Amino acid sequence: MNYICLVEDEQKVAGFICKGLEENRYKVKTAKNGEEAEAFISAEKFDLLILDVMLPDTNGIDLCRKVRLTDQQTPILMLSALEQVQNKVSGLKAGADDYLVKPFHFGELLARIEALLRRKHVPATEDHILEFDDLKLDTWSNTAERAGRQIVLTAKEYGLLELFMRNPNKLLSRDYIAEKVWGIDFDTGTNFIDVYMNYLRKKIEKDFKRKLIHTVIGMGYIMRAER
Ligand code: CA
């Protein structure tokens, strides 16, 4: 049974996460602040840490940095109330492995946790870099670069890009994308997919000659290199 340390001062949020994890057969210990967290982490061995960014006596990013001084192995997932690219970048720079924005669906949290725990058991030699044409994606740090130039992506843009990188030359329908990236069926229609696809394409194609993702009218999108 995997043992998780959850560091979250908001009781309602902590209770919700804790209950969900326990229902999924995880053992959870909750710390209400940085001081308590440090005491728990130094006393026991956890399989994964969940750190909220906003804590009463410190912030999750500093806490993460501190943990990483002595422990580079345990997966760390950061939680933040705001989708701030800066927070995400700081968190990942501080050594966090993944980053989730509140509010989130519990299923998404669970999926991230499972992915992090799986990754832990993957031999270090397994390639975590996905490549397509001159685009590279690092699935450990969730960062992208094209022709050596770093591209800053939001969590959803990253999720979209990873989906395409894992399915090159395949036509992906909007419904499929919605299900894979957002994890739920949308009954409100899937126009928002086009909005996100435009954001993503601007970021990865704007300054470059070749388009990588193409619209297939009435069908969806495909990642394909055109020479
Ligand atoms: Ca908090």
Side-chain angles (χ1 to χ4, degrees), residues 37-56:
E38 281 186 57
F40 290 171
I41 292 167
S42 61
E44 285 184 278
K45 173 84 185 111
F46 294 96
D47 296 297
L48 184 136
L49 311 177
I50 301 174
L51 310 181
D52 186 38
V53 169
M54 298 283 278
L55 294 168

Side-chain angles (χ1 to χ4, degrees), residues 196-210:
Y196 274 91
M197 287 304 298
N198 279 332
Y199 291 150
L200 175 64
R201 289 166 74 174
K202 262 190 198 138
K203 288 192 180 176
I204 64 169
E205 294 175 349
K206 192 182 62 169
D207 299 326
F208 300 91
K209 236 176 149 181
R210 286 194 303 278

Side-chain angles (χ1 to χ4, degrees), residues 7-10 13 32 52-56 79 81 102:
V7 186
E8 167 64 271
D9 58 307
E10 287 160 79
V13 180
K32 296 185 294 294
D52 186 38
V53 169
M54 298 283 278
L55 294 168
L79 301 178
K102 292 196 256 185

